Amino acid sequence: KSKDLLKSWIYHLVLCSSVEQNYPKKSRLVCKNETWEFDPVKESKDILENLIALYWQGLSKPSHFFPETSLDYAQRTLIKKEDWQTALNYSRKKWTGEYYRGSWSESDNPYYNLCFSKTDPFDKEFRKIAEEVFAPLLKHCRKI
């Protein structure tokens, strides 16, 4: 899940930011069906600062960040090179659970419903945050 990937990414950034020079700067996330490997990140402190700023921003107003849907959008635009409108259309389907009928989807989250049920959460802010969060992650990791 994207939350596990994000959590591992943050731990990896902290590792890469450590002052210990001789410590290995690679990490792996082993999941049930796949394994991800994170490469060393030279700009880890800058990325962490950006993530912290997004976190603080999210504490003052609802953030248009939904881990699963945002990752889907970022992978489509940054890896598959889909144009943003096509990627957004597919991500909306992920959001509503249209891909996996009968299973839980992020749109079922009561907190998201409370904040976004009367607006379209998939605006410029959604696209910007999805790419801000996941572009560095996708640049420095891969499935192995």
Side-chain angles (χ1 to χ4, degrees):
K1 291 191 172 197
S2 61
K3 67 179 184 172
D4 299 319
L5 190 62
L6 277 171
K7 185 177 182 179
S8 297
W9 172 239
I10 292 169
Y11 286 143
H12 178 69
L13 291 172
V14 170
L15 169 70
C16 290
S17 298
S18 71
V19 293
E20 183 63 44
Q21 297 298 321
N22 297 326
Y23 205 78
K25 303 286 186 181
K26 282 196 169 204
S27 302
R28 286 200 177 124
L29 170 63
V30 179
C31 304
K32 183 177 179 181
N33 298 324
E34 59 193 16
T35 300
W36 293 80
E37 183 173 74
F38 298 93
D39 294 325
V41 181
K42 290 180 184 174
E43 64 279 2
S44 58
K45 288 182 183 178
D46 294 335
I47 296 170
L48 276 170
E49 286 176 5
N50 189 42
L51 291 174
I52 290 168
L54 287 170
Y55 171 77
W56 281 108
Q57 184 181 14
L59 291 176
S60 63
K61 68 179 188 114
S63 178
H64 293 225
F65 179 74
F66 319 103
E68 293 294 327
T69 308
S70 297
L71 176 60
D72 181 72
Y73 176 80
Q75 287 175 321
R76 290 179 180 283
T77 57
L78 301 171
I79 295 174
K80 296 179 182 179
K81 305 296 184 193
E82 293 178 4
D83 67 89
W84 70 268
Q85 289 175 321
T86 302
L88 199 58
N89 288 337
Y90 280 107
S91 294
R92 281 183 195 276
K93 291 178 183 179
K94 174 135 183 119
W95 167 258
T96 61
E98 196 171 319
Y99 289 133
Y100 310 103
R101 294 241 184 247
S103 66
W104 184 88
S105 68
E106 279 185 305
S107 66
D108 295 328
N109 183 311
Y111 298 108
Y112 294 154
N113 279 325
L114 179 66
C115 294
F116 300 107
S117 64
K118 295 180 177 150
T119 64
D120 181 10
F122 301 104
D123 56 5
K124 286 182 183 179
E125 184 181 351
F126 166 80
R127 298 191 319 261
K128 179 180 175 275
I129 293 173
E131 291 182 6
E132 257 182 79
V133 170
F134 287 110
L137 184 153
L138 295 171
K139 177 182 173 186
H140 291 92
C141 82
R142 65 190 170 285
K143 288 182 188 180
I144 56 172

